[in-house]
Amino acid sequence: MRTRTVANMGKYTGQILEEIYTPEVIESRVNQLAKQISADYAGKVPILIGVLNGSVFFLADLAKQLDIECEMDFIKVSSYHMGTQSSGTVRLIKDISCIVTDRDVIIVEDIIDSGLTARFLKHRILENQPSSVAFATLLLKPDCLKLEFTAEYVGFEVVDRFLVGYGLDLDQKFRNLPSIWAFPEDMQV
Ligand code: IMP
Ligand code: MG
């Protein structure tokens, strides 16, 4: 198992991260999801709505592997204020700019933790009467769900540890790491 030590990040400095998904493993799982979505949406032109900022790498890799036509747009919400703790409230920061009425929409997220953000996003899209809404998330923490929420496409189910890399951040850092890394279980925040 590869590890890396956090540098230059105040109270997080010195923490040891463990690599839990390598770029190769992520790529092969994203390709599988793309195959499944291509089959499920054959003959349709879905709009992929990426949730900024965390989903950018996943959305880009997924979209490039689709065999069907698609459109892309973005939405930005905030649920995490600082560190690793969710504030519990979701705020819309940047809305979609496309028209989703009578369209097939796939919301693309990096991770579902409590599920609050996912529920908020789904409701936001449903307000505009799309033909369908599905949810694709690279990661899901099933033990952390605070409400009933089912995502149609899930890359990996993960344990309750704070993850970074491949789009996921801690205070905006680490998004650019090609692998997904886990902070220690007993991480101090
Ligand atoms: P939820 O509303 O609690 O499901 O949180 C969803 C959002 O929290 C995600 O879109 C992420 O931005 C962030 N988040 C949740 N867990 C993690 C994590 O382990 N690492 C980085 N961000 C996370
Ligand atoms: Mg996010």
Side-chain angles (χ1 to χ4, degrees):
M1 165 104 53
R2 281 209 299 163
T3 60
R4 63 184 287 150
T5 307
V6 176
N8 305 316
M9 259 200 93
K11 61 187 175 185
Y12 304 110
T13 303
Q15 298 247 25
I16 313 281
L17 306 184
E18 285 177 7
E19 185 181 42
I20 60 163
Y21 298 112
T22 62
E24 295 74 24
V25 168
I26 297 169
E27 187 186 352
S28 102
R29 185 67 188 124
V30 171
N31 293 352
Q32 284 175 350
L33 291 177
K35 278 210 172 69
Q36 206 182 328
I37 291 172
S38 300
D40 293 351
Y41 288 82
K44 297 179 177 168
V45 183
I47 307 178
L48 306 182
I49 297 188
V51 185
L52 295 170
N53 299 332
S55 74
V56 288
F57 296 99
F58 177 41
L59 177 96
D61 289 344
L62 184 72
K64 282 187 283 183
Q65 294 301 322
L66 292 178
D67 299 326
I68 52 167
E69 280 182 36
C70 71
E71 296 175 20
M72 281 179 241
D73 198 16
F74 294 93
I75 192 166
K76 184 166 182 154
V77 292
S78 123
S79 50
Y80 271 47
H81 284 265
M82 277 286 280
T84 65
Q85 292 306 305
S86 171
S87 64
T89 49
V90 182
R91 264 187 326 132
L92 184 64
I93 294 178
K94 180 217 168 292
D95 206 350
I96 49 169
S97 30
C98 62
I99 294 165
V100 296
T101 309
D102 298 328
R103 298 295 305 271
D104 296 296
V105 174
I106 306 175
I107 302 171
V108 181
E109 249 292 31
D110 51 359
I111 187 163
I112 297 178
D113 186 313
S114 68
L116 290 164
T117 308
R119 182 177 64 181
F120 176 92
L121 291 165
K122 203 160 182 177
H123 284 164
R124 171 69 196 88
I125 299 302
L126 282 170
E127 279 170 20
N128 293 293
Q129 276 94 41
S131 303
S132 69
V133 187
F135 219 94
T137 185
L138 180 66
L139 302 162
L140 170 72
K141 291 180 180 170
D143 297 343
C144 299
L145 276 177
K146 289 191 184 141
L147 45 96
E148 250 186 65
F149 189 87
T150 310
E152 285 73 11
Y153 306 98
V154 177
F156 305 99
E157 290 199 352
V158 289
V159 291
D160 181 15
R161 283 171 70 179
F162 198 77
L163 307 177
V164 294
Y166 196 72
L168 296 150
D169 74 303
L170 172 62
D171 292 348
Q172 301 304 324
K173 308 266 176 10
F174 303 118
R175 289 195 200 277
N176 59 319
L177 301 178
S179 303
I180 295 174
W181 301 79
F183 271 86
E185 235 163 298
D186 58 351
M187 158 188 206
Q188 299 296 307
V189 290

